[in-house]
Amino acid sequence: MELLGPVQSVGRFPRFLMGFLGIFLLLSSCNPGNVTQTANLRAQIENLLQLHSYEYRYREILYLGDQRTLLGFIPTRDRQFLFRVDFLVSAGVDLTRGYTLSSGPGNKMTLVLPSPEILSVDAQEETLYQYVNQTFGGDLRILEIGDLLELASQSISQDSIERGILHQAKQEAESLVRSFFLSLGIDEVVLEWAPHG
């Protein structure tokens, strides 16, 4: 398993930024006590669904070997497959887990978000490259490929957590959220993280 490096998910930021921009413009034009406007604000937040804030790219080498013999020495099957594939691990905030947004005295806003988590571990099919393809006794089946990719995904997900992807996703999300609040003139922002559970 080789970590090719962290990749900030620049391509996914515009959706998040546009959504939050809409939220904060709505905030700046409404009275915090107005129930209808608060409902509109919540609807805008729910349109975001997820904030992908950090990504890792992995290169994984996968091997499947299957040898069988008759009477212990006559080969009846010798299948060996060795290939590589890149995985993209995305971490961020899943807003469907719930959040709270409230205003305080003056220009203070408090946003409580669910803690970052692994949102996806995707095999990049276009990076698939086969080194060994020995098919005596049968070709590689789709279910076998799926099982190999699933095992690799679980291992990669755990490795990315150990390398700190969730911490980096949290820092990136905090930076983005604070920047947007401040750019709209909200000078005091309290960002809190709710534990999973």
Side-chain angles (χ1 to χ4, degrees):
M1 180 184 314
E2 176 188 2
L3 175 62
L4 297 179
V7 181
Q8 291 182 355
S9 60
V10 178
R12 298 186 186 181
F13 283 151
R15 179 176 177 220
F16 159 69
L17 297 179
M18 289 172 54
F20 260 100
L21 182 59
I23 291 168
F24 298 133
L25 288 175
L26 184 60
L27 263 178
S28 63
S29 65
C30 70
N31 178 355
N34 189 312
V35 174
T36 302
Q37 291 167 339
T38 302
N40 289 338
L41 179 59
R42 290 188 64 80
Q44 289 287 333
I45 292 173
E46 286 161 8
N47 285 335
L48 296 177
L49 297 180
Q50 291 181 343
L51 160 59
H52 295 249
S53 58
Y54 218 82
E55 293 180 341
Y56 280 175
R57 186 176 300 278
Y58 281 83
R59 176 158 294 156
E60 184 77 347
I61 304 297
L62 303 175
Y63 173 76
L64 175 66
D66 181 14
Q67 290 84 30
R68 295 183 190 173
T69 61
L70 179 64
L71 302 175
F73 64 92
I74 302 171
T76 59
R77 175 177 287 188
D78 187 4
R79 302 166 66 233
Q80 296 186 56
F81 306 96
L82 181 68
F83 54 94
R84 77 158 193 250
V85 63
D86 290 356
F87 286 81
L88 191 63
V89 183
S90 176
V93 178
D94 183 357
L95 295 177
T96 63
R97 291 189 176 274
Y99 62 90
T100 59
L101 178 66
S102 57
S103 59
N107 210 13
K108 179 180 178 180
M109 294 296 299
T110 301
L111 178 62
V112 181
L113 294 173
S115 293
E117 61 186 277
I118 300 294
L119 298 175
S120 63
V121 182
D122 295 323
Q124 308 292 290
E125 294 178 12
E126 67 277 5
T127 66
L128 188 65
Y129 181 82
Q130 193 163 50
Y131 296 108
V132 175
N133 182 15
Q134 183 170 320
T135 61
F136 175 64
D139 290 329
L140 184 62
R141 298 187 307 269
I142 298 229
L143 287 177
E144 291 174 318
I145 296 174
D147 290 343
L148 285 174
L149 294 176
E150 178 61 27
L151 287 173
S153 295
Q154 293 172 8
S155 174
I156 286 169
S157 177
Q158 185 59 40
D159 184 76
S160 66
I161 291 171
E162 291 170 3
R163 290 178 188 263
I165 193 172
L166 298 182
H167 176 70
Q168 291 165 318
K170 181 182 284 190
Q171 287 182 322
E172 195 69 24
E174 284 180 354
S175 176
L176 285 168
V177 169
R178 290 183 189 285
S179 294
F180 269 87
F181 270 111
L182 294 173
S183 72
L184 292 166
I186 299 172
D187 52 19
E188 189 173 356
V189 180
V190 177
L191 181 57
E192 298 175 358
W193 298 98
H196 292 302

